[in-house]
Amino acid sequence: MLSFESDYIEGAHPLILDALVKSNMEALSGYGADRFTKSAKTKIAEACSCPDAQIAFITGGTQTNQIVIDTMLRQFEGVAAASTGHVSVHEAGAIEYTGRKVLTLPSHNGKMDAAELDKYISDFYSDGNCEHMVFPGMAYISYPTEYGTLYSKKELTALSEVCRKYKIPLYMDGARLGYGLMSRECDLTLSDIARLCDVFYIGGTKVGALCGEAVVFTKNNMPAHFEHLIKKHGALLAKGRLNAIQFDTLFTDNLYFTLGKNAIDRAEELKSVFIQKGYKFFIDSPTNQQFVILENKKLKQLAENVKFSFWEKYDDSHTVVRFATSWATTSEKISELEKLL
Amino acid sequence: MLSFESDYIEGAHPLILDALVKSNMEALSGYGADRFTKSAKTKIAEACSCPDAQIAFITGGTQTNQIVIDTMLRQFEGVAAASTGHVSVHEAGAIEYTGRKVLTLPSHNGKMDAAELDKYISDFYSDGNCEHMVFPGMAYISYPTEYGTLYSKKELTALSEVCRKYKIPLYMDGARLGYGLMSRECDLTLSDIARLCDVFYIGGTKVGALCGEAVVFTKNNMPAHFEHLIKKHGALLAKGRLNAIQFDTLFTDNLYFTLGKNAIDRAEELKSVFIQKGYKFFIDSPTNQQFVILENKKLKQLAENVKFSFWEKYDDSHTVVRFATSWATTSEKISELEKLL
Amino acid sequence: MLSFESDYIEGAHPLILDALVKSNMEALSGYGADRFTKSAKTKIAEACSCPDAQIAFITGGTQTNQIVIDTMLRQFEGVAAASTGHVSVHEAGAIEYTGRKVLTLPSHNGKMDAAELDKYISDFYSDGNCEHMVFPGMAYISYPTEYGTLYSKKELTALSEVCRKYKIPLYMDGARLGYGLMSRECDLTLSDIARLCDVFYIGGTKVGALCGEAVVFTKNNMPAHFEHLIKKHGALLAKGRLNAIQFDTLFTDNLYFTLGKNAIDRAEELKSVFIQKGYKFFIDSPTNQQFVILENKKLKQLAENVKFSFWEKYDDSHTVVRFATSWATTSEKISELEKLL
Amino acid sequence: MLSFESDYIEGAHPLILDALVKSNMEALSGYGADRFTKSAKTKIAEACSCPDAQIAFITGGTQTNQIVIDTMLRQFEGVAAASTGHVSVHEAGAIEYTGRKVLTLPSHNGKMDAAELDKYISDFYSDGNCEHMVFPGMAYISYPTEYGTLYSKKELTALSEVCRKYKIPLYMDGARLGYGLMSRECDLTLSDIARLCDVFYIGGTKVGALCGEAVVFTKNNMPAHFEHLIKKHGALLAKGRLNAIQFDTLFTDNLYFTLGKNAIDRAEELKSVFIQKGYKFFIDSPTNQQFVILENKKLKQLAENVKFSFWEKYDDSHTVVRFATSWATTSEKISELEKLL
């Protein structure tokens, strides 16, 4: 069955599997004390133009968000996020489970507004009662957002300035970072992100790896004994090679960006197909997630041959659904879809 | 360099890599809603002679211990474990991090004694002050233990009876279960374990997989919304296929047991070599971890060519070190070691 | 200086101090095993027309909310509350600190709407993604609300019905319960509340006691080993007599209600004074908290002689402030205030 | 009935009740912003010869231990305590509930040995595996201990030096501090304690107050936003006056020490009575808790007229019981007891 259900429906890019196979019988120490971990970190730091970047590999996205937020906040702080942010809604309370409050700000097509963040923090400190409230101690953004949208360099710079003004870290969830960076609307480089954010993660799971996210601390600000803290959160892999080899491959010969570009190119094709067929979009997304408004009968009929994700009810007779492309999507699949529309 | 550093120094058994490669481009839903997850669960339930077993895949061992203990205990309970148990000492406080106290009992070569557990719980309830203490709400054992030792069927039955007497679950950490089951001293089957324990996990990471542990609830006692709880702990993989395909392979054609047997056979060879050369053992281990007492000069010399693990100081001139065999250890490696002794 | 800063600016009602003095040298067992604890519980159960009520005394309000919410929720659940609820905003993250998410619903003058709660829960279970979200496991309301407003019997009944429909407890924060029950607009009795809510607390701290809140479980639903759980949260008093003697006094000869009535009568006087002087109210509050809109110059001038609380900015030249009456407020103080307006 | 059940069976010293009554109708701001809080802090700082001491009042002992330990430890640290320490055994898991592991060291009549602590920490850092274990981040001692014993100045100095060597705070639980300081064996002053410890608390609940403990940070090391953190733990009293007035009274005219002396004088009388009657002690306690070995028949007979605490079984025919004197114990009570022996 044709599937655009998500960007994690296939396994890993073949070069990653090759690297796993090739290195398989090499004896390596556990817990990250292996040569691939070292090599992958060096390559990522270079790609970020941030030679002093401190990098750690964690297996999944929710886990990464949980660990970064929990270990960077001070005890009286919570994390500010757009109300639609992944940490606000879709992580099964993993952030609160570690004792941290998510402070929600308005979402503008998935994005947080720098001026609103500034006002939120400024108002917080003006409130005589602020000692009884959770201090805003970090700003969390996702790039691309949960709605596929992107911050412009100007917007990200503004957020970065607000965070520096209040001396709190700006954290970017880059679960789909590759798809953001290769978007035709993107005016940011990985180096810009490393410069403007205090910590971010480069998503592997959704961009061609079997699993794995690379957390990058850009300001010599990795929490002390971070490996211990990863283990305390239950997340330290014995075979650190698994994540390391994957990222080592992704950051060899620009594979990460090549994979990102494929998803974007296919998304543009998919968009054209829907437009030509007269469909409307719920939101104008420049990345690999496309949100289409389907008439309910059409939805039912289409669902017999194609997998996609339910997003939300639009009105009584229409529904918003998501079609996702990925590193693995082919033009042939887009053509197959076209025939079904 | 020759390495007996641990049982997780290589990647995965080639059949596992083959299965990952073969299934790679098949589109599968995420979070465990894929055919391999279903298939792997069925095969494991069969291998356990426990058709109603409820099974979940989690990526690592500390994570599995954290999640099982945290989700099965009631709010007033802690987990009883031998003082040398992995959860007591070597998990970076991951159990306490979730708010749970580890109640330590004496360790007998790594094992908990059933009569001592019985007395501990009985004394607890006799103490007029028990409402101010943490209730023993689960017994945790590892099999093989951290010292490579095994519970006999009689010992495990006794522990199971104590747990049933007090209506608390018996939980077995089977990080190296395959190496225990194939030990020449083992008088237990996987079915015995499923019958006697309320929950246990079958270790993949140390027995031939890249990662992954299979938690088996044997008494229709999986906590409600367990998938949600895994995610809340940060541990739910988007690509559930990764763990599933590995376990599906491990439980096809008895691969898991074949891998276990290899490690045991090599451990017996290694033991013979050390004995012939006149070395003494710290403990009599019937499994894949062998604890040898080395004279410090010899240790230094040997370390130039072989990797092994420091275990503990024995006396001023001797040290206990661990040599581990695994599914991947070959007889050739044992011969190479022999030459160096 | 004249003060309407809050309803906890004075010590305790003299009858409470008398009772503490009178019982002072009587030797009593600790941790609630004393005759006053027993007597106070009996009196409260009677006042609630709920003979089987299970009651516990806890020292403060945030603590009570933290303990009740944390111990009643299941591991996959959070608590639904109005966005202005005390637990949503002003408890320093005490709820999240215990790992629990506060799920916010719209606030209507401080109140949660039953139909909106119904829709929220219904939508939650309709969402295919709900396993990745926090389950609504309790409804939290405050009575009176943080804005001094009250639920009518009809509104409380509707909320109770929604909670029963979804089998989740309805929890009422009664920090100022006495002031709600004696409001001239109140059409609920303590017995109605005991019947409609699954758990609630009767506030002592703000209604005449030095400290102390009485939690009432009305449906035989007190969590197992609740005393242990209170201690685990750090909140069990060695001298259980302190809270018990106070509540025993408050529920002797209807003192609790007498105290409530005084605050309401004085609030009505205060309201009249402001109205006569032409002031406007921010909200129409029928209880002891009155929210007045002050011109900023007037505010500054008044603040020289009277204490009150800043609430929020109204516009560039006006501010909302709160005047609170209490069990201890006298008509003389209202007259003094009148002269200053 | 005659009672030596504990040192918290009576209410409060009459001077404390007087102070509460006298200040009762004075309008005071909440949450510690009152003149008594200021005054009590000044008096305590003076009594400690530590003018820069940072002081906070918390309602109970378990709560104080929980908050101090949780807020002073870094995320990778746990607290070292004697295996018999209150935090190790009798706090319902309140320390672990906040995610902190208690690292237990041997108990020597309730005391931790400085050399053993030194070795424990030194061994910890020598262990190649230490990143997978909880770092010792604080030493917790109780003074007097749970067995009524005292650290000498030499012993406390040695512990202090070990803590400084490893740069971790030394924390003293002074639930019964007044009874320790007035012991005839005590060679420490409150100033010595303030100098040698990094943080300690002066127990009120067991030394004449209705409730309340005063935490003293002696090295300008109070955690940032400590009031917020107290509230986050659920422990901030709205009527901060309650604890403050009590401590203001206890530290006026040396009342705290006078109360301590009474308990010690009565304990010495009680000891003499038991010795004269030929009873044996389980431990030689120089403070207000006396541990007597009773023949079981005698125990039963005595229990008809006197209350005391069961401590532990001694042998098949004898039991260890505890008799506690306090600030409120009179010589008459000791005489009454004498008649019953």
Side-chain angles (χ1 to χ4, degrees), chain A residues 123-143:
Chain A
D123 285 356
F124 176 86
Y125 285 105
S126 306
D127 190 326
N129 216 3
C130 80
E131 282 289 335
H132 290 195
M133 293 156 70
V134 175
F135 287 65
M138 172 188 269
Y140 163 96
I141 56 171
S142 35
Y143 182 89

Side-chain angles (χ1 to χ4, degrees), chain D residues 200-222:
Chain D
F200 66 100
Y201 84 81
I202 301 171
T205 303
K206 290 172 179 165
V207 191
L210 286 167
C211 63
E213 326 295 326
V215 190
V216 185
F217 293 91
T218 62
K219 308 286 181 267
N220 199 29
N221 54 344
M222 180 185 263

